[in-house]
Amino acid sequence: IYRPAQRFLTAKPSATLPPLSPNTYVLYISAEINGGGNMESSPNRAKLPLAFASIVSAPITINPGSNPAIAHAPE
């Protein structure tokens, strides 16, 4: 059973996650293009045109003593 753990938002093409506690995670990554909006100043505002793309990762296990996970989106 998977439960939501945290939500991170960015207007950048990549993000560095904070250190994760030992556990198994599944990352849900969603990208949005918002022709009239501004993620940094108004993250909950939307204007046309809009487009979304999402992906779910395979389970990722963080073991005790491991390095923080880093997720990168292609530029």
Side-chain angles (χ1 to χ4, degrees):
I1 297 176
Y2 295 108
R3 295 181 307 239
Q6 191 63 276
R7 184 176 180 185
F8 302 99
L9 302 171
T10 183
K12 310 286 187 248
S14 66
T16 301
L17 301 177
L20 300 172
S21 60
N23 210 335
T24 299
Y25 298 89
V26 173
L27 302 178
Y28 172 80
I29 301 168
S30 180
E32 175 182 329
I33 186 165
N34 184 340
N38 185 327
M39 174 66 177
E40 293 176 343
S41 64
S42 316
N44 296 317
R45 302 261 183 212
K47 294 183 180 176
L48 295 175
L50 290 175
F52 298 89
S54 300
I55 189 169
V56 177
S57 75
I60 299 169
T61 300
I62 306 297
N63 294 314
S66 62
N67 293 326
I70 299 175
H72 290 284
E75 292 187 35

